[in-house]
Amino acid sequence: MLSTHFLSGATNAKPPLFPATTAFSPLIDPRPKPYPITALLQWNRKPQLSGETPRVVVVTSGKGGVGKTTTTANMGLSLARLGFSVVAIDADVGLRNLDLLLGLENRVNYTVVEVLNGDCRLDQALVRDKRWSNFELLCISKPRSKLPLGFGGKALIWLVDALKSRSEGSPDFILIDCPAGIDAGFITAITPANEAVLITTPDITSLRDADRVTGLLECDGIRDIKMIVNRVRTDMIKGEDMMSVLDVQEMLGLPLLGVIPEDTEVIRSTNRGYPLVLNKPPTLAGLAFEQAAWRLVEQDSMQAVVVEEEPKRGFFSFFGG
């Protein structure tokens, strides 16, 4: 039987004999840290931040409904739990939803529009998560409101520059939740970014849009593009009713950041405004988002390969060595 496994790019890394599960394990360095590290998957160390900060990452897909906002919320909080400061920008002006997924909709009093109009300061528009103080949300505008005519890529660049130079320090990551489509909203969202996370599902419509978006990102000068394959169902792949992750990777030719299995808990967490990565006990999808965040920090990737397995063994392994 053929099976698909996913192998981390860091093949030389060896997991510890006794993996730590909480920040209070005696195996972890007891010296005080600026933020508690309570990620569920860790190898007795904090991931090493690669690249210049702040890392400005746009989360995009082209096609709607593939999980951009869910990915932004879960990866953003995963990065915060790993000890990094994160600002998530909801650049979907017309259909703002990131605040709902994070459970912060009642705390958004000011937006970027008020900042640009001089009605408030930037720090007043930033909404700090009470669960993780190193995670902040910034919305471009309120629902049903109209953007200023001059708002575009230059305004978003100014916003990112303002976050870099704020008095309390620049964040480690700026995540931009990109709207669906490839119109003006898409162009605005990708303008300040220097790397991208492309979300796709294993269906032909999503892959066609993802391929088109990849070309647009490269034309805009964004060369660091990694993909996350979302809503993967192993039973359908086994029955040859869904493309495998290896097929998707071969078609798009992009480094693989993560594979997220189909999970009914996504709907529950969305309705509660409580991201998957905070669930106890964790779900498979939550663990996969957390591993993708770890790879994003270290600019790592994983590789899908096909191997032969015994008939009685599992068909999939999402977390390879």
Side-chain angles (χ1 to χ4, degrees):
M1 180 182 294
L2 294 181
S3 173
T4 303
H5 287 248
F6 305 100
L7 306 178
S8 172
T11 55
N12 295 327
K14 296 183 179 179
L17 295 177
F18 305 99
T21 56
T22 68
F24 304 101
S25 169
L27 298 176
I28 297 181
D29 188 353
R31 292 175 295 181
K33 300 177 177 63
Y35 304 110
I37 302 175
T38 57
L40 294 169
L41 298 178
Q42 53 181 314
W43 296 337
N44 283 344
R45 67 177 179 90
K46 177 180 175 180
Q48 301 298 314
L49 182 57
S50 177
E52 297 182 359
T53 57
R55 301 258 303 274
V56 185
V57 184
V58 61
V59 182
T60 184
S61 69
K63 189 177 186 296
V66 298
K68 293 184 297 296
T69 304
T70 301
T71 300
T72 304
N74 283 280
M75 289 190 62
L77 277 178
S78 294
L79 292 170
R81 296 174 73 201
L82 289 170
F84 302 101
S85 56
V86 182
V87 173
I89 300 177
D90 192 342
D92 194 338
V93 177
L95 301 173
R96 192 185 85 188
N97 287 317
L98 185 56
D99 56 331
L100 291 173
L101 268 67
L102 292 167
L104 301 175
E105 67 275 9
N106 294 326
R107 297 182 53 203
V108 180
N109 298 318
Y110 298 106
T111 65
V112 173
V113 171
E114 281 81 17
V115 175
L116 295 175
N117 291 337
D119 298 328
C120 71
R121 302 185 308 274
L122 177 60
D123 62 300
Q124 292 176 303
L126 287 163
V127 180
R128 191 179 299 273
D129 195 301
K130 293 181 179 179
R131 297 161 295 196
W132 296 93
S133 60
N134 51 332
F135 180 88
E136 296 172 292
L137 170 67
L138 183 61
C139 296
I140 297 294
S141 68
K142 296 178 180 178
R144 301 181 182 178
S145 65
K146 293 183 179 180
L147 279 177
L149 293 177
F151 186 87
K154 291 184 178 180
L156 204 55
I157 290 175
W158 172 88
L159 184 63
V160 170
D161 290 339
L163 290 171
K164 292 178 181 179
S165 59
R166 60 180 183 168
S167 58
E168 56 267 40
S170 171
D172 297 313
F173 286 90
I174 299 176
L175 302 182
I176 302 175
D177 184 18
C178 184
I182 54 173
D183 54 6
F186 168 81
I187 300 301
T188 297
I190 69 173
T191 300
N194 45 42
E195 54 187 296
V197 175
L198 185 67
I199 314 299
T200 186
T201 53
D203 60 83
I204 57 174
T205 56
S206 180
L207 290 173
R208 172 185 282 182
D209 292 350
D211 186 57
R212 172 65 172 153
V213 166
T214 300
L216 294 175
L217 291 170
E218 291 176 346
C219 289
D220 200 63
I222 301 176
R223 302 293 179 181
D224 187 355
I225 308 172
K226 294 182 176 67
M227 72 171 177
I228 288 179
V229 184
N230 193 21
R231 304 186 68 176
V232 174
R233 290 186 55 177
T234 58
D235 57 333
M236 293 186 67
I237 297 175
K238 186 176 181 180
E240 298 184 352
D241 295 318
M242 175 181 283
M243 283 182 286
S244 70
V245 177
L246 181 61
D247 293 334
V248 173
Q249 190 172 23
E250 289 178 345
M251 290 179 66
L252 295 180
L254 295 174
L256 185 61
L257 188 65
V259 177
I260 314 299
E262 182 74 67
D263 195 338
T264 56
E265 190 63 29
V266 172
I267 298 176
R268 297 190 186 97
S269 68
T270 299
N271 291 333
R272 293 188 317 220
Y274 196 81
L276 280 173
V277 294
L278 301 181
N279 279 11
K280 296 180 182 179
T283 65
L284 275 179
L287 294 173
F289 276 123
E290 193 168 62
Q291 282 200 337
W294 187 291
R295 295 186 190 97
L296 181 67
V297 171
E298 298 193 334
Q299 293 186 332
D300 198 0
S301 62
M302 60 194 299
Q303 180 68 41
V305 296
V306 176
V307 296
E308 291 187 1
E309 282 193 345
E310 295 294 333
K312 294 183 180 180
R313 293 182 63 186
F315 183 71
F316 256 78
S317 174
F318 284 101
F319 309 112

